[in-house]
Each structure stands twice: as structure tokens, then as C-alpha cells.
Amino acid sequence: MSFELMAPLMFLSLVVVLLLGYPVAFSLGAVGLGFAFLGMHYGYLNLGLLQNIPLRIFDTMQNQLLLAIPFFTFMGLILERSGMAEELLDTIGQLFGSVRGGLAYAVIFVGALLAATTGIVAASVIAMGLISLPIMLRYGYSTRLATGVIAASGTLAQIIPPSLVLIVMADQLGVSVGDMYKAAFVPGFMLTGLYVLYVFLTTLLNPKAAPALPPEARPFAGYERGALLGLLGYLVLALVPWGLSAFGASPSPGLDLFLLALAALLTLYLYRTNPLFARVFRVMIPPLVLIFLVLGTIFLGIATPTEGGAMGAVGALLMALSRRRLNLELLTQALRETAKLTSFVVFILVGSRIFSLVFYGIDGDLWVAELLKNLPGGQLGFLLLVNLFVFFLAFFLDYFEIAFIVLPLLAPAVKAMDINLIYFGVLLGVNLQTSFMHPPFGFALFYLRSVAPKSVSTVDIYWGAVPFILIQFLMVLILLLFPGIVYAFIG
């Protein structure tokens, strides 16, 4: 066998073994070791290569960055079981209940908030499916719109920090998690805005698909407009310094104090006069404090992602304790699920280290780089092809497996084409959301099917996901055409 055939045969062998249904971690390790022995048999490799495997495994175990995964997982599981999602959905549903599509807006908003606190897709989809889907169906929402918006909002945990997949991708690409989080923040909320826009256009074209809640279903009827205007007032006050900066004026400390005083007076007035606003304020403050505790400290450079995850885990425990939901059973369940997910990630990572070591030993990285370097269209053509490849690969593999298998193979080609690795990671992060939404294997669809009423057909769930997959594709195209959205936040 010629040396030039080793790399393509190794890659094809991995694909075949995965399609046969063997576990990914063991497939990676077995194919890697098999081709290592084959290479030694033909004299292309030597035993010294295999002696590097223990060093690579110990290097993986010593990687403190990966400690962020169990911390963020534990934080998300505690929050999911502490009742935060139920309170948020009920309260925000009341806030938007008087407008058409109000419950859908509430699901999107809460999905983004849960993504920024839990970072776990399964927790978000299951919580919103159990709580919101029956209410949406009861009040006449289109089944496809209701299921689609719940599944899509749950997948926001893929791209909005503290996303677990962004941690894994940062590790595989060798870049800072903090920078990856900063770069992904705006695209994540832009995608949230596109979901809102889709619901709004749907209510304009087909008002019956998402009717407003009747007055008898709104205990705070009459207070919604005042509460919404109050929240809009916060947004205006927050945008004043940014607006002055955009026109070349520098905001002064005195102006900041004046704006803070106005916000405090607005809060005090509405808290006393508007019971719906008071409830929104009480429900929103704890998760917003937790978001600042985790993401704020990472963005400001006060804490590393691992330290931010540890603070988030402690904050989640305190929130559960304040709600009187913290008990031994909840703690045991969260620890068990955290251990399972962490073990799953580490086993795949060990297998991918063995595979990549042998693949690089037979110049597989050069083969992939040469294969992709000559594509027509330069950087844009390369990025388009890679995103299409990842999109179709996501029909069969989940996001962790893609991150561990595909990224190490593509990283050398990305560097050779002078594409920023953080930008590439964010682009794939948005694309990988579709891996949760693909009919028929999307995990978000499976999660939703497991909690949806029997009256909701699987076909409706699949068709409901299609518009949101197209929106996710649109977001990928926006980032391809306007990379400055990401580059503006890269140091």
C-alpha cells in the first residue's frame, strides 16, 4: 500500500465504522490504533508514535479548560430542576399574552435566557415543551409553529454563551474560550431576533396561527402595556451612552449617574403601581445576576471560563436553595447526569487524540489541507463547502462528535487559508444548531416528541422545524457575507 493512500483510507474507514453503529469514542481509538499498526507494518511509522499516546491522554486530563464542562453542566441541571424555567415562562407569557404571538415571543425570550444560564439544549427544550406547548395548543396556536418555535429556541443554548460546544470547539481549535464567547454573543442574539421576526411575520400573514390570549387567561390584564413600556424605558436608557458614542460624544460619569438614578426611579414607580412589572422584576433579577456572575466576569477578564463556571454552579445552588427546591435527590440527580456527560466527552476526546495523532503521523493534515486549498472561490468557497459538509454530517453525528472528529481535520486547512479560527468556530457553532433540528434525527425534535401530547404528530414536529432550519441557514449566510459581525468582538 502506498503512503499517499493511507490518509484517505483511514478517513473512509472511520466513516464506515461509524455508519455501522459502533460508539464514536471506541471507533476513533480503534481506527487510530489499527492504522498505526498498519503503518508500522509497511514501515511508514515507528513504535515511538504510539509511545506518545499516554502523553496525549495525560495532557487531556490536565487541561483545566475542560473543567468548565462539568461546572456549566451541573449549573444547568440544577437550574432546570429548581423551577426557574416554569416561573420565567409563566411570567413572560403573561407579559406578552395580550399580543398576537405573545406565547411564541415568550418562548423565544425564555429560550435565550435559559441558553445564557443553563447552556444545555435538552433542559431548555424539555422544560418549554412540558410547560408552554399544552398552553399554546389550548389557545389555538398552529401545531407546527408551536413545536418549531420551542425546538428552535431550545437550540439557542448551542451558540449563546456559556455554550458547551463553544468550549469544546475552543479547545480543539486552540483559541481562548473567552474570545469565543465574546464573538458568539451578538450572532446568538441576532438569531434570536430572526426567530422573533419570523413569528411576527407569521402573525401578520396568518393571525389565526398565533392568537392573543383571551382576557380570562390573563390575571394581569390591563397591566401588560405599562410593564412593556417600562422595560422599553430600560432599553432606551441603556442605549443613550452608545448613541452618544456613535455621534462622537463621550459619555461622562455624571451622565451615567443620572441615567442610573432615572432607572432606579422608574423601577420604584412601576414596582409600586404595576403588579405585573413587579412580578417580572422579581423573576428576572436572579437569572440576570447569574448571567453577569458567569459571563460578565469572563468578558471583563476577572475570571477564566473554568472559574466562571464554578461561580455559576455555586450561584445555581444558591438560587435553588432560595426557592426551597434544593434537596438530596435533586443534588444526586444533577451530579449523576454531570458525571455521565463529562465521561462521554472525555472518552470521545481520548479517542480523537489517538485518531488525530496517527492521522497527522501519516500526513493526513496535509492531505486535507491540499484537498481543500484548491477549491474554487477562495476563502468564501472553502467556508461554503465546509458548512454544507458539516450540515449533512449533522444528519448522522451530534455536535460533540463533529467537534471532536471534523475540527482537528479542518484546523490546518483553515490556518493555511488565513481564516481566523474564532470566526470559523462561531460560524460552525451557528451551523451545528441544525444538528439538533434535522428531521428525522434531530435531538431537539426527539426531546420535544418525548414530552409533547399524543395529539401532536411527529410529522407536524418535523415540518415545524423546517422554517427555523432555513433561518439558521440564513444566519450562516449573514455571517459569511458580513464577517465583521464576529470580527468586531475579537481582540
Side-chain angles (χ1 to χ4, degrees):
M1 182 188 297
S2 68
F3 182 73
E4 290 75 17
L5 288 175
M6 290 284 286
L9 281 177
M10 186 176 178
F11 182 74
L12 285 173
S13 299
L14 177 65
V15 172
V16 170
V17 172
L18 289 174
L19 289 176
L20 289 173
Y22 289 99
V24 174
F26 303 123
S27 299
L28 286 165
V31 172
L33 290 174
F35 272 82
F37 290 123
L38 194 64
M40 285 189 286
H41 173 73
Y42 285 105
Y44 301 139
L45 303 173
N46 58 56
L47 193 60
L49 183 77
L50 293 185
Q51 291 173 343
N52 284 320
I53 289 176
L55 297 176
R56 282 206 155 205
I57 293 174
F58 280 118
D59 183 55
T60 300
M61 298 299 111
Q62 292 171 347
N63 188 348
Q64 291 195 7
L65 174 62
L66 295 176
L67 277 173
I69 292 175
F71 282 138
F72 283 126
T73 304
F74 180 75
M75 179 183 80
L77 291 167
I78 290 289
L79 289 175
E80 183 227 337
R81 290 164 168 79
S82 69
M84 184 183 76
E86 290 94 326
E87 286 189 8
L88 283 170
L89 284 166
D90 184 42
T91 304
I92 306 302
Q94 292 296 329
L95 183 65
F96 291 106
S98 61
V99 299
R100 285 183 305 200
L103 289 177
Y105 296 138
V107 166
I108 295 169
F109 183 81
V110 172
L113 205 56
L114 289 176
T117 48
T118 66
I120 301 174
V121 173
S124 301
V125 173
I126 289 172
M128 293 191 292
L130 282 170
I131 300 159
S132 295
L133 184 57
I135 298 172
M136 295 171 87
L137 297 177
R138 187 188 313 151
Y139 290 109
Y141 271 66
S142 159
T143 304
R144 293 183 179 183
L145 177 64
T147 55
V149 81
I150 288 173
S153 300
T155 63
L156 289 170
Q158 280 280 89
I159 189 62
I160 294 178
S163 160
L164 296 182
V165 74
L166 291 179
I167 297 174
V168 171
M169 287 202 296
D171 175 68
Q172 293 297 297
L173 293 171
V175 297
S176 160
V177 176
D179 287 342
M180 189 76 89
Y181 277 179
K182 288 178 188 175
F185 201 76
V186 169
F189 283 101
M190 281 182 65
L191 187 60
T192 306
L194 289 176
Y195 291 166
V196 170
L197 181 62
Y198 171 72
V199 173
F200 176 71
L201 292 175
T202 301
T203 58
L204 284 181
L205 299 173
N206 184 12
K208 292 181 179 178
L213 291 180
E216 60 270 17
R218 305 195 321 262
F220 298 97
Y223 289 103
E224 295 98 340
R225 181 174 294 180
L228 284 169
L229 288 174
L231 294 174
L232 188 62
Y234 283 138
L235 182 62
V236 171
L237 292 175
L239 289 176
V240 167
W242 179 83
L244 289 174
S245 302
F247 286 103
S250 55
S252 64
L255 176 65
D256 291 341
L257 287 173
F258 175 70
L259 292 174
L260 282 173
L262 275 181
L265 288 172
L266 179 65
T267 303
L268 190 62
Y269 171 74
L270 287 172
Y271 196 89
R272 289 175 175 273
T273 59
N274 190 312
L276 179 57
F277 177 87
R279 181 174 174 180
V280 171
F281 187 81
R282 286 194 302 270
V283 170
M284 290 283 293
I285 287 300
L288 289 176
V289 169
L290 188 62
I291 290 170
F292 174 77
L293 190 68
V294 176
L295 298 180
T297 53
I298 294 173
F299 288 171
L300 294 173
I302 299 169
T304 65
T306 303
E307 293 163 348
M311 288 191 292
V314 173
L317 286 171
L318 292 174
M319 281 180 63
L321 190 62
S322 68
R323 286 186 164 88
R324 298 181 180 178
R325 298 286 185 96
L326 188 62
N327 54 49
L328 185 61
E329 184 185 1
L330 185 150
L331 202 56
T332 305
Q333 287 177 353
L335 288 170
R336 185 185 297 118
E337 292 301 317
T338 301
K340 280 183 184 177
L341 182 65
T342 306
S343 303
F344 167 75
V345 170
V346 171
F347 263 103
I348 293 181
L349 188 52
V350 168
S352 73
R353 291 286 195 224
I354 296 170
F355 180 87
S356 62
L357 176 67
V358 178
F359 195 69
Y360 290 160
I362 57 174
D363 290 346
D365 54 330
L366 300 179
W367 170 69
V368 173
E370 197 62 35
L371 198 67
L372 297 174
K373 195 167 60 176
N374 299 320
L375 289 172
Q379 288 186 353
L380 186 61
F382 168 79
L383 290 171
L384 274 171
L385 183 77
V386 166
N387 275 281
L388 285 171
F389 173 65
V390 168
F391 175 77
F392 286 111
L393 203 61
F395 276 97
F396 312 103
L397 301 175
D398 73 16
Y399 61 103
F400 273 135
E401 293 160 356
I402 291 172
F404 284 129
I405 297 170
V406 177
L407 279 187
L409 303 182
L410 293 177
V414 175
K415 290 177 185 176
M417 298 200 70
D418 199 28
I419 298 170
N420 187 283
L421 289 172
I422 295 175
Y423 168 69
F424 182 71
V426 171
L427 194 61
L428 283 195
V430 175
N431 192 342
L432 281 175
Q433 286 189 103
T434 59
S435 70
F436 275 93
M437 300 284 289
H438 280 163
F441 300 117
F443 283 105
L445 309 183
F446 288 155
Y447 299 144
L448 187 57
R449 173 69 278 173
S450 68
V451 297
K454 291 182 180 179
S455 59
V456 177
S457 71
T458 303
V459 173
D460 280 335
I461 293 176
Y462 286 168
W463 277 111
V466 170
F468 293 93
I469 294 173
L470 296 176
I471 291 171
Q472 290 166 351
F473 245 171
L474 175 63
M475 189 67 221
V476 171
L477 288 174
I478 289 171
L479 293 180
L480 282 171
L481 297 174
F482 304 100
I485 295 169
V486 175
Y487 282 116
F489 297 91
I490 298 174

